[in-house]
Amino acid sequence: MFFRSAITWILFFLPFSLYAQNLKPNIVFIYVDDLGYGDLGCYGATKIKTPNLDRLATNGIRFTNGHSTSATCTPSRYALMTGEFPWRKKGTGILPGDAALIIPPGKTTLPSLFQKAGYKTGIVGKWHLGLGTSLEKNWNGELKPGPNEVGFDYSFIFPATADRVPTVFVENHHVVALDSSDPIQVNYQQKVGNDPTGKEHPELLKMKSSPDHGHNNTIVNGIGRIGFMSGGNKARWTDEEMPLTFLEKAKEFMDENQPFFLYYALTEPHVPRMPSTMFKGKSGLGYRGDAILQLDWTVGEIVKELEQLGISNNTIIIFTSDNGPVLDDGYEDEAVTKANGHKPAGLLRGGKYSAFEGGTRVPFIISWPGTIKPQVSDALVCQIDIIHSFSSFLKQPLSLQEAPDSYNLINTLLGKSPSGRDVLVLQGGALSIIRNDWKYIEPSNGTPYNNLTDIETGNHSLPQLYDLKNDIGEKNNLAEAYPQKVKELSALLQKIKANG
Ligand code: NG6
Ligand code: CA
C-alpha cells in the first residue's frame, strides 16, 4: 500500500518538480577582466590552451559578435547591472578605489530582478562601481550602500581593481579580517601613513611598474598600486591567493543558496598579473598568459562543483569579459616581451580603451547543458541586453524607465533565434554605432594612439566607416566612398543619444 501510494506520488509529481526545476535554473555569470577576443582556444588562440572554456563553448553557444558596451571596466559593469548606456550618465568612467556607489539604491538592476523572482543573489569578485555615499568613508566601519543595497543578498568583493587601494576584501558591509588596532586609511591625493611607495622604494618591488604608468604609490605584496593606503595589514590580500579565495566563496554560495544568481567577477587577466604559484611560468607567455590559464582552470572548477552538486543541467553559465585586451597596462610583467606572436584581440583592431572592435568585441559563451543546443551564433548581442532578456525569462516585466537601453534577446541568448540586435552603440574613446555590419565611429579629438599601452584608440578627427562583414580588422575607412551611409549612421547615433 505504502509503495503503491509512493509510486503514484512520484508519477504524479515528478513532471511538476522537473518543470519547476527547469523554470528556475541557477545562473553563474562569469565576468572576466580585460580578456580579449583572441585569448581563448575556442576563439582561435593557438599559443595558449584553454580546455575548460573550449569545452563550455563546444557544449553551448559561442557568440562571435558579442560585446561589452564599453572598452573599460566601470562603464561596462554599470551597463550590465542597469541596462542603461553608461555614456548617458556622468561619473561612470574608470573609478578610483575610494569612489562612492554610482548605482542609486532602489534602481532596478540585474540582481534585483532575480531577487524579485525568488532567487538568492550573490556577487563574488571585482566590483568597481563604488561604495558608500562619498569619497570620505570609514573603511573600518560599515561600508554602505554597496552591492547589498542594489540587489545582492550576499557580497564578497574587492572594491575597485586589483591595482588600486584598498587591497582588501569586503564581505557584505565590512572589510574582511580587519584588526581594529590597525585601522585602514585610504587617500588618492596624497600619501597617508608610512608604508613605502613604489616611487620612493623601487628596490622593494617584486614586479616593477612600467615607466610613466601610475602604479607607483603604496606597495602591497611587493607590487606598487594606484593610490595610498595605510593600516589594515592583516586584511591586505596576497594576489597569489585571490583566485582560490574567490573560488571558495563562490562554491560556498552555490552550495548554500538555490536557486541562485551568482555574479562571479574574476580579476584575471587584469593587472597586476600575479598568478598562483601553480600557474607561474606555465603558459610560457609571461604572467598574463598564466593568468588566462588560471581563469580557465577556475571555470573548470565551477563546472565540476555544479556537477558534484548535481545541478549542472539546471544551471546556465554565461561567460564574457568587461572589455578588450591590453598587454602593457602598467607593469613589467613580460606580457609584451613573451607574447610570442599571441594576438590577444585576434584579428580585431585595437584593444582595451579603443573604439575599434578590439575594445568591446569579446568572448561571449552561454551554456545550459541539456537545454541549449550547441552552436556558433553570429548574432550581434551586447551585455547590456542580459537584463531585459532575463526580465522576460523570469517574467518580471520592466517599465520603460527601467533598463532603457536593453533589448530582450532571450531567444538569441538561449540559441533559439539566430538574429540579434539591429543596431548597437559602443563606447571606446569615441562613440560608434553598428548597423547591418556597417560601423561608424564618430570624429573625436582624442589621441589616435596610446603610447603607454601601445593601442590604437580609434579616435580620429574625421568620420570613420567600416564594413565589418568584409573588413573585420577595420583597415579600410570607407567614409569618403559612402558619404550617404556616414550621414545615415551619424544621424541615427545622434537620435539614440538624444532619445534613448
Ligand atoms: C587605468 C590604469 C590601468 C587600469 C585601468 C582600469 C594607469 C596608467 N592605467 O587608468 O592600469 O587600472 O585604469 O582598468 O593608471 S579597468 O579594466 O578596470 O577599466
Ligand atoms: Ca576591465
Side-chain angles (χ1 to χ4, degrees), residues 282-360:
K282 209 174 165 188
S283 69
L285 303 185
Y287 283 175
R288 183 176 187 277
D290 300 342
I292 294 174
L293 297 188
Q294 179 168 287
L295 80 83
D296 181 69
W297 173 85
T298 305
V299 171
E301 291 302 297
I302 289 288
V303 170
K304 253 195 245 163
E305 184 69 8
L306 295 172
E307 278 161 9
Q308 266 159 28
L309 291 171
I311 56 174
S312 35
N313 283 2
N314 198 36
T315 302
I316 301 175
I317 300 180
I318 305 177
F319 175 92
T320 188
S321 172
D322 66 341
N323 53 251
V326 51
L327 291 181
D328 183 356
D329 211 10
Y331 293 96
E332 290 184 3
D333 58 9
E334 302 182 314
V336 175
T337 52
K338 289 197 169 161
N340 189 27
H342 174 66
K343 298 241 171 306
L347 298 175
L348 308 180
R349 189 170 176 184
K352 182 176 181 177
Y353 310 113
S354 174
F356 290 127
E357 290 289 281
T360 59

Side-chain angles (χ1 to χ4, degrees), residues 33-34 71-75 77 94 126 128 160-161 163-164 212-215 226 270-271 322-323 329-331 352-353 452-453:
D33 201 356
D34 297 3
T72 53
C73 170
T74 301
R77 284 162 207 255
I94 299 172
K126 171 174 175 171
H128 213 185
T161 59
D163 55 354
R164 282 172 174 74
D212 306 325
H213 278 265
H215 299 84
I226 306 176
H270 193 281
V271 297
D322 66 341
N323 53 251
D329 211 10
Y331 293 96
K352 182 176 181 177
Y353 310 113
L452 284 179
T453 56

Side-chain angles (χ1 to χ4, degrees), residues 154-176:
Y154 174 73
S155 64
F156 186 96
I157 58 163
F158 67 66
T161 59
D163 55 354
R164 282 172 174 74
V165 300
T167 51
V168 295
F169 299 117
V170 178
E171 189 168 29
N172 297 319
H173 298 115
H174 295 275
V175 169
V176 176

Side-chain angles (χ1 to χ4, degrees), residues 65 347-350 355-358 361 434 436-441 464-479 482:
N65 203 0
L347 298 175
L348 308 180
R349 189 170 176 184
F356 290 127
E357 290 289 281
R361 198 191 286 221
I434 298 180
N436 295 335
D437 283 317
W438 284 98
K439 173 166 170 185
Y440 164 76
I441 308 178
Q464 294 173 82
L465 180 74
Y466 297 101
D467 172 8
L468 295 177
K469 192 161 228 134
N470 298 303
D471 178 24
I472 200 181
E474 295 167 284
K475 293 201 178 76
N476 303 309
N477 182 3
L478 299 175
Y482 295 88

Side-chain angles (χ1 to χ4, degrees), residues 101-222:
L101 178 67
I102 58 171
I103 302 174
K107 195 177 178 78
T108 297
T109 61
L110 181 60
S112 79
L113 274 184
F114 278 93
Q115 267 180 339
K116 255 172 63 189
Y119 278 70
K120 290 284 177 232
T121 59
I123 168 170
V124 174
K126 171 174 175 171
W127 176 235
H128 213 185
L129 292 168
L131 291 173
T133 51
S134 67
L135 287 181
E136 292 77 35
K137 63 183 121 282
N138 180 5
W139 291 96
N140 310 288
E142 197 180 37
L143 291 162
K144 209 174 168 179
N148 298 62
E149 283 63 48
V150 297
F152 289 105
D153 298 315
Y154 174 73
S155 64
F156 186 96
I157 58 163
F158 67 66
T161 59
D163 55 354
R164 282 172 174 74
V165 300
T167 51
V168 295
F169 299 117
V170 178
E171 189 168 29
N172 297 319
H173 298 115
H174 295 275
V175 169
V176 176
L178 185 67
D179 173 355
S180 56
S181 66
D182 183 26
I184 295 177
Q185 257 189 294
V186 172
N187 198 308
Y188 272 75
Q189 263 63 57
Q190 66 208 39
K191 186 171 167 175
V192 282
N194 300 317
D195 281 88
T197 65
K199 191 168 182 185
E200 302 157 349
H201 288 286
E203 77 284 1
L204 297 178
L205 297 171
K206 67 180 177 188
M207 182 168 62
K208 288 202 172 58
S209 61
S210 312
D212 306 325
H213 278 265
H215 299 84
N216 57 10
N217 301 154
T218 303
I219 300 175
V220 177
N221 187 28

